[in-house]
Amino acid sequence: MAGAKGPSTGAAGGNLHESLLNSVGTDIVTGDLAPGTVIRAEELRVRYEVSLSVVREVVRVLESLGMVKPIRRLGLVILSMEEWTILDPLVVRWRMAATPALQLRSLTELRVAIEPQAAYLAAIHASADVAEEIMRLAARMRASGSKGDVEAVLEVDIAYHRAVLRAGSNELFASFDTVVAEILRGRTHAGLMPKFPHPDALQWHFDVADAIGNGDPERAHAAMTKMMDRAFTEMEDAWEGQPRLKTY
């Protein structure tokens, strides 16, 4: 981990934990800590000027994410990407910061596959209260978008997609909401979100909400597909020419 910088020794314990976790996690996803590398807890303690208890807490998190494997009398072995809990929001965030183009491509392709079906299920299973909330969020997004308030649009867009993903009573789709939040934040912070959302995109948010409220799954699926296709088109220049990862 050449060049790694330790956190300030005056930082609070929680900040020390977060700083070390982000530093080591980032080093793993960038390959600075390559698969098969062995590091020791004592090395981390000295390098980052933290207590051994903080190191142990961080190791427990990284182990739970499938990124390291403690081996007795050897140390911490860095594991390959195939072992990671790759859709955990922390891993998504680290990968987004390290290779935003590749991560956005993979995640956007996943959104294209998942969110239209989530909208379809929402139109079948959403309660009247949930459907009304989704419509209110679509209206808030239009209001924020008309002001060019990118951060406000981001937060209401996260809430909108979270509501749709959860409305279909599918626990796996519902759990995808944290990943979508990281995708939207990463896209915004990478400067890939327009200051003023396209009118079509805003209308499709309304169309999905209206279809959910009226129990029309086919129309909800079609409108969300248009939304996802546009999101993909708006970003595909960012990853043009980038090689695809081998997963076989």
Side-chain angles (χ1 to χ4, degrees):
M1 292 182 295
K5 294 181 180 179
S8 167
T9 55
N15 291 337
L16 288 171
H17 174 277
E18 183 178 355
S19 179
L20 179 58
L21 179 61
N22 286 331
S23 294
V24 180
T26 298
D27 283 345
I28 293 173
V29 302
T30 59
D32 288 346
L33 280 173
T37 301
V38 177
I39 56 175
R40 296 181 179 274
E42 178 64 14
E43 177 187 349
L44 293 175
R45 186 191 70 77
V46 172
R47 183 183 296 274
Y48 289 94
E49 299 179 350
V50 296
S51 68
L52 201 53
S53 64
V54 169
V55 172
R56 289 185 184 123
E57 291 172 10
V58 167
V59 168
R60 280 195 289 270
V61 175
L62 293 172
E63 186 179 7
S64 74
L65 296 174
M67 302 181 85
V68 303
K69 181 179 181 180
I71 296 182
R72 190 179 178 87
R73 298 192 181 90
L74 180 62
L76 305 170
V77 179
I78 307 302
L79 301 179
S80 64
M81 185 175 65
E82 288 78 9
E83 305 296 328
W84 304 347
T85 307
I86 203 161
L87 287 179
D88 185 278
L90 277 174
V91 179
V92 170
R93 189 178 309 157
W94 294 331
R95 295 186 71 210
M96 191 81 76
T99 55
L102 294 180
Q103 182 69 158
L104 279 171
R105 178 177 64 192
S106 297
L107 290 170
T108 304
E109 289 174 348
L110 190 58
R111 286 189 74 194
V112 169
I114 289 176
E115 292 204 58
Q117 185 62 22
Y120 183 98
L121 292 176
I124 297 173
H125 300 292
S127 67
D129 288 346
V130 169
E132 288 176 8
E133 175 61 15
I134 293 171
M135 181 59 79
R136 282 195 293 269
L137 289 167
R140 283 178 53 197
M141 188 168 177
R142 174 170 285 173
S144 298
S146 67
K147 299 174 184 176
D149 189 337
V150 175
E151 287 298 324
V153 169
L154 169 61
E155 291 311 312
V156 73
D157 202 18
I158 289 172
Y160 175 93
H161 287 279
R162 177 184 293 122
V164 174
L165 286 162
R166 292 180 176 181
S169 299
N170 179 302
E171 74 282 6
L172 298 182
F173 283 0
S175 70
F176 191 59
D177 67 342
T178 54
V179 177
V180 170
E182 291 299 330
I183 297 169
L184 293 172
R185 289 192 185 102
R187 180 185 175 188
T188 298
H189 298 152
L192 297 174
M193 189 72 80
K195 182 176 176 63
F196 294 95
H198 194 281
D200 285 348
L202 294 173
Q203 183 59 49
W204 291 328
H205 281 75
F206 271 101
D207 291 346
V208 170
D210 184 65
I212 290 172
N214 284 285
D216 188 338
E218 297 291 347
R219 188 158 63 91
H221 187 287
M224 184 64 83
T225 297
K226 291 177 183 178
M227 197 189 306
M228 293 298 101
D229 286 348
R230 181 169 188 87
F232 190 92
T233 299
E234 287 178 343
M235 291 188 291
E236 61 184 343
D237 287 348
W239 55 69
E240 185 178 3
Q242 293 290 328
R244 299 189 71 87
L245 295 174
K246 289 187 177 181
T247 56
Y248 53 86

